[in-house]
Amino acid sequence: MKKYFLILILVIIFTIVFSLSSSLAAELKTPAGADAINLSNIAFDGESYLVENYQKFKNQIDNLEHPTVALALSGGGARAIANLGVVKALVENDIPIDLMTGTSMGAIIATLYGSGLSVTQIEEIVTDTPFASLFNFGGGALLNSKKANIFIESVAPQKRLEDFLIPTAQLSFDLASGKKYLATEGKISEVLQASYSIPGYFPIHSREGHYFMDAGVLESTPAKSAALLGADFVIATHTPESRSGYDYGGAFQSASRFLEIIQNRYSGQILDRYSDFIITADVKDYTFMDFNYAARLVEIGYQETLKRMPELKKALAAENISLRASEERETFNLDDELRDLEFDRLIVEESGINPLIYYGRDFSPFNQDLFRTPLDRLQLGIEFYHNRARLSFLGDDSWSDGYTAALRVKKIGDSFDLYLKYKNDNDSATDDEYEAELKYFGRRFNLSGGYGSRAGKEYYLFGNDFRYLGENLQWQSENDIFFTRKEETLNLLSSQLINYDFTKAWSIGAEVVYNSSDFVESPLIYRGQELAEYTDLQASLNFNYNYNLRLPLQLLNFLQLTDIGGYLFADYYHDRDRDQEGLAVGPGFNSRLYLLGLKPIEVELFAAHDFEIQDQRYGLQFSYSF
């Protein structure tokens, strides 16, 4: 009876949070008409555009006391990250930027710079942000990108397009009217989606009867849009894709090739006619999925622009356009925003249901996050979410051996999240497990406190984890202290990961797990024989080599291989209860496959010789979390 009561409590709390969030959202909802679009139908050179607040935007350009220089940033998925390198070189060389237009990734770069961020901070965000954290599966397409839009708005100094330091327009295509659409106003999180909506990949964006998608096929570089808005001199970027070896008998590749031909035809005409200067970044060997090569793509755009700089300055001088140093920009403290992204604390105003599919590691909510015990079976479950609340149910061995339920409520305070967990193993003879925890989130560290029961022992919980991520040294630590209520004993579960990089390829790493309890399971890192679940000490020393491919290896059009690694390891364990210890050594190989350049699938192969049992163990692990 107790188990059903606890489940009922979780559902009731989720329902209360759902109701309160809905009520609060209704109270804070923007009054009708407050964001009504002032839309103009502008005919320009044989084509019609829908432009928001056209006259107001045009007046900003016309009132300038010098010729207007526009920067039109191309799309192209990850390839178009090269646009940031272009902006960086232009700013360093005092090339004026009075107007920006962008589509797809070009719109994202234009939004970040136009809103007031410095190039340095944008580069840190683009090259250091884990893109996988910005996208979830589902939501009307393969990838749900609402979190990405919210994150971009959170780091932007100005949150609305009409308030940007540099007048900025985002180009998309309106399916309802069949016309190109230029957004010049509205909150970033509410309008940015339109510029990169790709049917099947990212959701189609709708707003007030308009349905938007990426305009890249018709105008991959929005140079014509810049001319329509009043630019006197248009600097356009071009990030072309040039692949060979198409399988024209395959539906996907044939359709992709057809769209590429159409895009190149339209893009070539627009670039030739409306661009005064074109910067073509040599990114043809990369695809729209290559987000893991962000730093390299930025450098390609930067170097290409520097190479063309004398020509550009000469072209500007011929039009009597003077160089102007841009005002030095403030460096903003983005610790809170980066913290919220790192720990999945961004609030997305939406409701729905997600399937949970895990393989290769044990993703029970009762386990620590730093190390997860290898698990050679599927874990299947379901998650209900509404705004800041998430309620999940996860089966143990496809629900035949039990299940766990977990409720997380994000941001009950600016820095606090609430966690409630429950576990039932379908055995009436054993006590159910539960835990309530309040967690405080800081930048690179967390603190938590709570109360729970495992294996029949009730305890008070105190936890912390932190991360030090230096240039060569990385240290991650996760620690939980359990004070048992009845026995009044202190128990510690501590996991440590330290890695030192000798070079970009060679490193040495140490892993340690210490567990003084007899009721909290240890995460298993020992690669020799199977260990007891309460093993008190495990340690591992790894000598690693990792080779980053100069270009990603594309597999099946949606998987990438970016690196291949090899390592030698020595693992040690000690079990106080059985008074045993052991040592295992061996070689291993690992790699990551990225689904659409975003979601990693970890692959590991190792062979271990265990000296205690004088036997070998071989492991082949695929680990993914979707």
Side-chain angles (χ1 to χ4, degrees):
M1 193 65 176
K2 179 181 176 182
K3 68 184 71 172
Y4 300 113
F5 177 74
L6 289 171
I7 294 176
L8 180 61
I9 290 296
L10 288 175
V11 174
I12 290 174
I13 293 175
F14 180 79
T15 304
I16 291 173
V17 173
F18 184 98
S19 301
L20 290 176
S21 299
S22 298
S23 300
L24 182 60
E27 291 176 9
L28 298 178
K29 188 176 180 180
T30 304
D35 248 357
I37 303 174
N38 181 0
L39 202 58
S40 300
N41 186 15
I42 307 299
F44 182 71
D45 204 2
E47 191 172 14
S48 291
Y49 284 73
L50 296 177
V51 187
E52 296 176 355
N53 273 334
Y54 172 71
Q55 198 55 54
K56 180 181 177 181
F57 193 93
K58 191 77 162 48
N59 289 342
Q60 287 182 279
I61 307 303
D62 295 341
N63 290 336
L64 295 175
E65 297 179 354
H66 48 73
T68 301
V69 178
L71 178 59
L73 298 181
S74 64
R79 292 194 316 276
I81 293 175
N83 284 318
L84 179 55
V86 175
V87 176
K88 179 180 179 181
L90 296 179
V91 171
E92 288 181 356
N93 285 272
D94 299 336
I95 304 299
I97 303 175
D98 305 306
L99 163 66
M100 299 184 78
T101 58
T103 188
S104 195
M105 180 58 74
I108 294 174
I109 301 298
T111 295
L112 290 170
Y113 187 68
S115 69
L117 281 175
S118 67
V119 171
T120 300
Q121 281 204 293
I122 300 173
E123 190 169 8
E124 291 174 354
I125 292 169
V126 169
T127 56
D128 294 341
T129 294
F131 284 95
S133 301
L134 292 174
F135 300 94
N136 298 321
F137 286 100
L142 184 59
L143 295 172
N144 184 336
S145 50
K146 286 186 178 181
K147 190 188 297 185
N149 302 327
I150 290 172
F151 174 71
I152 292 170
E153 180 179 290
S154 72
V155 299
Q158 298 296 331
K159 313 299 183 185
R160 300 183 64 88
L161 267 66
E162 62 266 31
D163 298 330
F164 278 15
L165 271 63
I166 298 175
T168 301
Q170 300 171 351
L171 175 66
S172 59
F173 185 79
D174 178 23
L175 294 169
S177 65
K179 299 178 181 180
K180 295 176 185 177
Y181 190 103
L182 285 167
T184 65
E185 64 176 6
K187 292 182 64 177
I188 294 171
S189 61
E190 295 175 359
V191 301
L192 182 59
Q193 179 73 43
S195 66
Y196 68 92
S197 295
I198 302 176
Y201 286 103
F202 301 116
I204 296 295
H205 181 64
S206 61
R207 184 185 179 198
E208 297 190 13
H210 300 276
Y211 295 85
F212 304 102
M213 66 170 286
D214 190 320
V217 173
L218 299 176
E219 192 171 340
S220 62
T221 300
K224 186 174 181 180
S225 298
L228 176 150
L229 293 170
D232 298 304
F233 190 96
V234 177
I235 302 172
T237 67
H238 187 37
T239 49
E241 180 179 21
S242 179
R243 292 184 295 166
S244 58
Y246 279 97
D247 176 13
Y248 295 111
F252 180 82
Q253 290 199 30
S254 298
S256 297
R257 176 57 177 160
F258 178 70
L259 291 175
E260 182 184 326
I261 292 171
I262 296 175
Q263 182 183 63
N264 290 340
R265 182 173 300 173
Y266 279 112
S267 297
Q269 294 172 354
I270 288 175
L271 285 170
D272 290 343
R273 185 162 185 172
Y274 301 100
S275 302
D276 297 284
F277 195 86
I278 303 171
I279 300 173
T280 301
D282 185 13
V283 292
K284 61 180 180 297
D285 292 326
Y286 297 87
T287 74
F288 78 98
M289 300 187 297
D290 291 331
F291 294 99
N292 292 296
Y293 290 83
R296 191 176 299 175
L297 291 163
V298 171
E299 185 65 15
I300 290 173
Y302 179 70
Q303 293 298 335
E304 181 60 31
T305 307
L306 290 181
K307 188 189 306 180
R308 301 287 310 283
M309 193 57 64
E311 298 175 58
L312 175 56
K313 290 181 177 179
K314 184 177 180 180
L316 290 169
E319 299 295 329
N320 296 317
I321 298 174
S322 302
L323 302 183
R324 298 192 308 274
S326 59
E327 293 185 9
E328 186 173 348
R329 297 194 171 188
E330 178 183 353
T331 298
F332 296 92
N333 185 346
L334 302 177
D335 283 354
D336 289 346
E337 290 76 15
L338 295 174
R339 173 202 66 185
D340 288 347
L341 174 64
E342 181 179 11
F343 297 112
D344 189 23
R345 302 188 71 240
L346 295 173
I347 305 298
V348 180
E349 301 292 332
E350 62 178 354
S351 303
I353 302 175
N354 276 335
L356 299 178
I357 305 173
Y358 303 120
Y359 184 82
R361 302 284 176 182
D362 186 354
F363 279 87
S364 166
F366 282 87
N367 295 342
Q368 288 188 337
D369 292 321
L370 183 56
F371 300 125
R372 294 216 174 249
T373 300
L375 193 66
D376 60 352
R377 64 174 184 266
L378 282 170
Q379 286 181 303
L380 302 175
I382 190 169
E383 178 183 63
F384 303 89
Y385 59 89
H386 174 72
N387 298 350
R388 65 186 65 239
R390 292 182 175 271
L391 176 63
S392 63
F393 297 90
L394 187 65
D396 187 1
D397 196 13
S398 299
W399 297 79
S400 61
D401 293 336
Y403 62 90
T404 58
L407 173 67
R408 179 185 183 184
V409 183
K410 302 179 185 179
K411 293 194 174 182
I412 59 173
D414 182 59
S415 299
F416 291 91
D417 287 6
L418 174 67
Y419 294 80
L420 300 176
K421 309 169 189 177
Y422 168 74
K423 182 179 181 180
N424 171 260
D425 62 2
N426 292 340
D427 185 351
S428 59
T430 60
D431 293 328
D432 298 333
E433 299 182 353
Y434 59 86
E435 192 171 275
E437 181 182 18
L438 188 64
K439 182 174 286 190
Y440 171 84
F441 291 87
R443 182 69 173 131
R444 302 294 187 195
F445 76 93
N446 301 325
L447 300 172
S448 62
Y451 183 83
S453 174
R454 301 193 200 183
K457 293 190 177 183
E458 296 183 346
Y459 56 82
Y460 297 98
L461 168 67
F462 306 93
N464 78 80
D465 63 75
F466 69 85
R467 304 179 186 185
Y468 172 77
L469 303 177
E471 184 175 350
N472 298 109
L473 178 65
Q474 302 88 41
W475 180 16
Q476 299 182 63
S477 176
E478 187 171 3
N479 308 280
D480 291 306
I481 298 174
F482 304 89
F483 181 75
T484 56
R485 181 179 177 183
K486 184 177 180 180
E487 294 83 0
E488 296 186 346
T489 59
L490 281 176
N491 299 271
L492 172 65
L493 175 59
S494 178
S495 299
Q496 311 291 325
L497 170 62
I498 300 175
N499 192 81
Y500 182 80
D501 299 321
F502 296 107
T503 68
K504 289 184 178 181
W506 294 96
S507 67
I508 189 169
E511 301 171 0
V512 178
V513 174
Y514 175 75
N515 186 5
S516 65
S517 79
D518 60 358
F519 59 92
V520 178
E521 294 183 11
S522 303
L524 300 181
I525 61 173
Y526 188 73
R527 280 161 285 199
Q529 60 185 294
E530 293 188 12
L531 302 183
E533 56 190 7
Y534 304 125
T535 299
D536 61 313
L537 178 63
Q538 302 169 74
S540 178
L541 187 65
N542 302 279
F543 189 60
N544 309 300
Y545 174 78
N546 190 70
Y547 177 72
N548 287 305
L549 302 179
R550 189 183 71 84
L551 294 173
L553 179 62
Q554 306 297 329
L555 305 171
L556 303 176
N557 294 312
F558 56 86
L559 286 174
Q560 291 177 303
L561 180 65
T562 60
D563 57 86
I564 300 174
Y567 59 89
L568 299 174
F569 68 87
D571 291 354
Y572 169 82
Y573 88 91
H574 178 268
D575 189 326
R576 63 178 179 275
D577 293 333
R578 296 188 295 177
D579 192 24
Q580 291 180 341
E581 61 181 2
L583 177 68
V585 300
F589 300 91
N590 55 24
S591 185
R592 285 189 177 186
L593 295 172
Y594 286 89
L595 179 63
L596 298 179
L598 295 170
K599 295 296 186 180
I601 301 173
E602 298 181 359
V603 182
E604 184 170 2
L605 172 66
F606 67 86
H609 176 77
D610 192 309
F611 288 94
E612 182 189 11
I613 61 175
Q614 290 298 315
D615 200 0
Q616 287 74 42
R617 184 187 178 202
Y618 304 94
L620 175 60
Q621 298 175 353
F622 292 88
S623 178
Y624 60 78
S625 170
F626 296 154

